[in-house]
Amino acid sequence: MRKKVIAGNWKMNKLLGEAVQFVEDTKDKVANTEKVESVVCAPFPYLPTLVEKAKGTDLAVAAQTMHFEENGAFTGEVSPSMLADIGVTYVVLGHSERREMFAETDETVNKKTHAAFAHNLTPIVCVGETLEQREANQTMDVVENQVKAALSGLSEDQVKATIIAYEPIWAIGTGKTASSEQANEVCTHIRKVVADTISTAAGEAVRIQYGGSVKPANVDELLSQSDIDGALVGGASLEADSFLQLVEAGAK
Ligand SMILES: O=C[C@H](O)COP(=O)(O)O
């Protein structure tokens, strides 16, 4: 039985007071660790404060990206050791917005995935196709290539510990959710790719989230699918109530 993971990706939203309030409002209400893990992916400046506030609770704090190098002349970047040092435990890698606007590639995502494991950070690796690629029937190939590239060179245990987020780009922030069948079809393919390239056991263990306009109204249906193990949520994770409803759905 794979434990569900509900991760709220705030993206570039909230001021510090709002971020702290969110953690205060949610941290003691997410305590079903048998069935679900709850994660908030916050902007860099808030991470130390939020880690401190969430300490001793079941709410984990994630970064939304990081560099793969330890340190050096990379103005504006944040390293994996910096995140680990302040108590961050998860990191989102290769989000389509980073791939599209900040030149992340399959190669850098792979380096970052290795760097995450070197620092005991759980990577949430994002993959997904554009609308154009879906319409050209390239979805499975695109996603397969992204998954293989991201996981290249990892050990079987590391692959088992990786979280993959399938996010069709056309469904992000658009209100257009992939149907649960569409989402599951791709997640099933991702699991098969992992099983075929790494091992059957890794395919069974790896957790695959769906992301793209997930909200309390559609989360049950999505999470009831055979190969969907959670959700990476943008807009609907910004309000504490809505985030808690998503976590509750994951705990069912
Ligand atoms: O990381 C989250 C995804 O990009 C989904 O965002 P959304 O829930 O606002 O569509």
Side-chain angles (χ1 to χ4, degrees):
M1 189 65 190
R2 294 179 296 268
K3 195 195 284 190
K4 300 265 193 309
V5 194
I6 302 294
N9 177 14
W10 292 347
K11 308 190 179 183
M12 198 174 71
N13 289 295
K14 292 191 185 295
L15 296 178
L16 178 61
E18 297 165 330
V20 168
Q21 190 59 53
F22 180 102
V23 170
E24 294 294 355
D25 292 345
T26 56
K27 65 180 185 177
D28 296 321
K29 297 182 181 161
V30 292
N32 191 341
T33 54
E34 291 288 296
K35 291 198 167 165
V36 69
E37 275 163 48
S38 311
V39 185
V40 281
C41 314
F44 286 135
Y46 310 152
L47 293 175
T49 310
L50 300 190
V51 166
E52 203 51 44
K53 295 272 173 206
K55 206 170 258 174
T57 74
D58 293 319
L59 183 66
V61 178
Q64 299 175 9
T65 183
M66 67 177 190
H67 202 281
F68 50 83
E69 293 286 359
E70 280 297 297
N71 48 50
F74 301 102
T75 302
E77 289 292 319
V78 169
S79 76
S81 44
M82 292 173 189
L83 296 178
D85 187 44
I86 60 168
V88 166
T89 45
Y90 295 70
V91 60
V92 178
L93 300 176
H95 191 283
S96 60
E97 288 151 15
R98 305 275 332 156
R99 292 179 190 254
E100 208 172 295
M101 294 184 272
F102 302 97
E104 289 214 8
T105 63
D106 282 344
E107 193 189 343
T108 57
V109 171
N110 177 246
K111 286 184 178 171
K112 290 177 185 204
T113 307
H114 281 270
F117 280 116
H119 293 277
N120 290 320
L121 298 164
T122 299
I124 300 176
V125 176
C126 304
V127 298
E129 81 287 1
T130 62
L131 184 57
E132 213 178 14
Q133 290 165 334
R134 174 158 285 265
E135 285 172 349
N137 284 323
Q138 294 166 347
T139 299
M140 298 303 184
D141 286 346
V142 167
V143 167
E144 177 165 343
N145 290 337
Q146 288 174 329
V147 168
K148 283 181 177 164
L151 304 183
S152 174
L154 294 181
S155 70
E156 183 186 25
D157 281 347
Q158 289 171 333
V159 172
K160 287 181 180 174
T162 300
I163 298 168
I164 298 173
Y166 166 57
E167 299 205 316
I169 295 169
W170 49 271
I172 297 177
T174 57
K176 282 186 205 162
T177 321
S179 70
S180 48
E181 292 77 22
Q182 277 175 322
N184 195 51
E185 188 187 21
V186 182
C187 293
T188 302
H189 184 63
I190 292 172
R191 197 173 300 291
K192 185 175 179 324
V193 169
V194 174
D196 290 349
T197 50
I198 311 293
S199 68
T200 309
E204 272 162 21
V206 70
R207 290 179 296 168
I208 306 173
Q209 296 175 308
Y210 167 77
S213 300
V214 176
K215 44 186 186 280
N218 60 22
V219 69
D220 283 330
E221 169 77 18
L222 287 159
L223 294 186
S224 70
Q225 300 299 309
S226 59
D227 286 301
I228 301 181
D229 307 316
L232 181 60
V233 188
S237 75
L238 290 170
E239 298 300 328
D241 278 358
S242 163
F243 179 73
L244 287 170
Q245 285 179 54
L246 299 170
V247 171
E248 237 169 72
K252 277 180 194 162

